[in-house]
Amino acid sequence: MNQPILLGAENVNQLSWGAINGCEAASLLEGLHYQGAALGVSYGQFLLAMPIAQDGNPYHGFGGSPFKNEPGKFEAIFARPLLRWGNQFGSLCDLSGADPSWLYDEICRGNPVITYVTVHFATPQWEQYPFGRVPVNNHCVLLDGVSKHQVHVSDPIDGQYWLDRVKFEKIYLSRRMAAVVYK
């Protein structure tokens, strides 16, 4: 990769909307807006449309509330239910399990990638829940740029920045959960 690629997706700050657990919805909306979809939908409206898992399982829908922490809940929505929801507004494809190079290839094709990582790209802090072992410092960002040694993320907590690819890949590879947003 000779030249850095930066798609320039918008940044949605989840905290400014009071959505302390709203990173997946923010990252999804950033990607949809970048591809020209759901343009008339605000982040607040989008959060209200998010599918909630009645059983609290993030593999079924959002497991709790994006606005508060609830004891015994894991406040997140994982890739498959996120894809089902997102495909109501645009076109998404599951990249879970993909090698990081696949994510970078999508960026080079002009498609942002929703990636599941950890808050501040810290070491995952694993805990066991009824639905499986997951990092309690779960986070989701939109990957919208790549260069030889860095990736660019639109992070719903920390804003937009370039990050060392090695650091990104270490955290991404701990879970390998991602989805691409197509035009």
Side-chain angles (χ1 to χ4, degrees), residues 38-97:
L39 293 175
V41 180
S42 73
Y43 179 55
Q45 293 167 319
F46 202 55
L47 285 170
L48 295 176
M50 185 165 50
I52 304 297
Q54 295 307 310
D55 63 358
N57 186 330
Y59 289 103
H60 300 155
F62 195 86
S65 168
F67 301 104
K68 63 184 178 182
N69 292 323
E70 297 179 39
K73 301 278 186 171
F74 189 79
E75 287 88 359
I77 181 172
F78 289 161
R80 294 222 172 145
L82 187 80
L83 286 161
R84 282 192 299 273
W85 177 40
N87 278 322
Q88 297 173 28
F89 299 91
S91 181
L92 286 86
C93 181
D94 193 355
L95 288 182
S96 294

Side-chain angles (χ1 to χ4, degrees), residues 30-39 89 182-183:
E30 291 168 354
L32 289 168
H33 281 181
Y34 175 79
Q35 296 292 29
L39 293 175
F89 299 91
Y182 292 115
K183 189 158 184 106

Side-chain angles (χ1 to χ4, degrees), residues 7 27-38 83 86-96 98 102-114 142-143 178-183:
L7 302 180
S27 297
L28 173 56
L29 191 61
E30 291 168 354
L32 289 168
H33 281 181
Y34 175 79
Q35 296 292 29
L83 286 161
N87 278 322
Q88 297 173 28
F89 299 91
S91 181
L92 286 86
C93 181
D94 193 355
L95 288 182
S96 294
W102 291 20
L103 310 183
Y104 307 150
D105 288 347
E106 287 299 339
I107 299 300
C108 292
R109 291 182 190 107
N111 301 313
V113 179
I114 300 162
L142 186 73
L143 191 65
V180 60
V181 183
Y182 292 115
K183 189 158 184 106

Side-chain angles (χ1 to χ4, degrees), residues 94-168:
D94 193 355
L95 288 182
S96 294
D99 185 80
S101 65
W102 291 20
L103 310 183
Y104 307 150
D105 288 347
E106 287 299 339
I107 299 300
C108 292
R109 291 182 190 107
N111 301 313
V113 179
I114 300 162
T115 58
Y116 286 76
V117 292
T118 57
V119 176
H120 312 303
F121 288 87
T123 301
Q125 299 168 3
W126 298 97
E127 286 190 13
Q128 188 67 38
Y129 282 80
F131 53 82
R133 188 172 166 261
V134 293
V136 293
N137 55 343
N138 173 69
H139 192 41
C140 188
V141 300
L142 186 73
L143 191 65
D144 76 332
V146 64
S147 71
K148 186 173 182 178
H149 300 290
Q150 295 180 308
V151 295
H152 189 268
V153 296
S154 183
D155 184 326
I157 293 176
D158 293 325
Q160 297 177 316
Y161 52 89
W162 287 95
L163 177 72
D164 181 77
R165 275 173 61 164
V166 172
K167 185 172 185 175
F168 167 78

